[in-house]
Amino acid sequence: MDNLKGVPFAKMTGSGNDFVFFDGREVSLERVTSPEMVKRICHRNNGIGADGVVVLEPQSDDGAVRIHYFNSDGSPADLCGNATLCSTALAAELGMASAAGMRLVTGAGVITSRFGALPEIDFQPVMEVAPAIPIELAPGEQRIGFAVAGIPHLVVLCESADAVALTQRGPGLRWHPLTGGKGANVNWVSPLPGGLWRYRTFERGVEGETLACGTGAVATAILLAEWGLTGGEMVTIRTSSGRDLRISLRRPADAEGCYPTLCGEGRVVFRGTIESL
């Protein structure tokens, strides 16, 4: 198997949700995205270590940038919010697109974004929202809703997100029949002082907790609004890394659905070339 010796990469983090990025102009998509290679790259002991692998490719026809995203288990995903924030920052830095405004092509549609003090991305309209899902509540849980923010999410309102036994509760909800054949990410959310919200995510494709989940933050903000628990269009959610994600929710009078914008970290941690995997 190709060991990728000499291939350059960037390690990036979005509020602790971390990724290995490749420039599609320097390495072919097929070379770095087979399920086995993704697993080797993402392995935290024998590889670089990450929640996922991203390849950015300029689209020659219209100037947009294509995001190819793969979970650490090797499975592709239509959208990853934090990877898209990171992609915005890196695409601007690499000269693939303008920091003032760009179009990112994902499996969940075209995302418009920009990079100022922090990257900011505009989601496609979220149309599928169910404020109540008939799933039995565990102790400390208060209600469960569902939303598709690019990918499907369960959102569980609870007394304390930090007290949730996530590794025990997560898999059963992640694969619950009511989430569909491929299951869903699961987010637990509870209030913090000052109008903030604390959340934790059990993420499919990682099959465990990640320090942040951008699409999960968006789904959580939408369900909090549906439940009448937010005071306005802006929702601030604290991740397990201690960093905050800010979600703006617009509901235009002349359009259906919710139009979310996500703002958060997209930071290069280090760059290097692969020696061996």
Side-chain angles (χ1 to χ4, degrees):
M1 179 181 289
D2 187 349
N3 67 9
L4 302 185
K5 183 178 177 62
V7 172
F9 69 91
K11 177 70 179 287
M12 298 193 73
T13 181
S15 301
N17 200 190
D18 59 339
F19 314 98
V20 175
F21 272 79
F22 295 99
D23 185 335
R25 299 170 299 185
E26 298 179 333
V27 62
S28 67
L29 180 68
E30 294 77 14
R31 191 177 177 194
V32 294
T33 60
S34 69
E36 181 58 32
M37 186 59 74
V38 169
K39 292 176 186 177
R40 291 169 67 186
I41 292 168
C42 291
H43 197 287
R44 295 193 181 276
N45 301 104
N46 295 318
I48 298 168
D51 291 324
V53 165
V54 185
V55 180
L56 296 182
E57 285 189 318
Q59 302 289 282
S60 58
D61 55 343
D62 61 2
V65 177
R66 173 76 194 191
I67 300 175
H68 301 276
Y69 179 76
F70 296 82
N71 294 307
S72 61
D73 69 354
S75 62
D78 288 338
L79 183 65
C80 174
N82 284 315
T84 306
L85 289 172
C86 290
S87 295
T88 299
L90 190 60
E93 180 185 318
L94 295 176
M96 290 185 180
S98 170
M102 65 184 73
R103 298 170 65 249
L104 301 173
V105 182
T106 76
V110 176
I111 301 290
T112 58
S113 67
R114 60 222 141 257
F115 183 36
L118 290 171
E120 189 174 70
I121 62 176
D122 302 320
F123 276 60
Q124 289 286 322
V126 176
M127 310 294 290
E128 189 175 348
V129 179
I133 296 291
I135 295 175
E136 184 177 355
L137 299 174
E141 296 177 350
Q142 298 166 346
R143 59 201 307 176
I144 300 178
F146 178 82
V148 178
I151 60 174
H153 285 269
L154 286 173
V155 178
V156 185
L157 181 66
C158 62
E159 296 173 0
S160 171
D162 287 311
V164 173
L166 187 143
T167 56
Q168 286 74 46
R169 179 66 167 151
L173 290 178
R174 179 258 188 271
W175 288 108
H176 197 283
L178 291 178
T179 63
K182 295 184 179 180
N185 288 11
V186 188
N187 310 271
W188 287 264
V189 61
S190 57
L192 290 174
L196 301 178
W197 294 88
R198 169 77 171 104
Y199 88 139
R200 295 171 66 197
T201 301
F202 185 96
E203 193 160 342
R204 69 179 191 175
V206 176
E207 305 308 326
E209 183 172 10
T210 53
L211 294 182
C213 175
T215 56
V218 168
T220 298
I222 291 172
L223 266 301
L224 289 173
E226 288 285 331
W227 294 330
L229 299 176
T230 59
E233 290 187 353
M234 184 66 70
V235 182
T236 302
I237 295 180
R238 183 146 298 165
T239 70
S240 290
S241 69
R243 291 176 169 85
D244 292 342
L245 290 168
R246 299 194 302 275
I247 303 95
S248 173
L249 303 175
R250 296 183 300 110
R251 297 181 183 275
D254 59 348
E256 294 184 7
C258 179
Y259 289 68
T261 294
L262 174 68
C263 180
E265 180 185 59
R267 175 168 56 95
V268 175
V269 178
F270 62 87
R271 293 180 172 86
T273 56
I274 295 174
E275 181 63 25
S276 66
L277 284 172

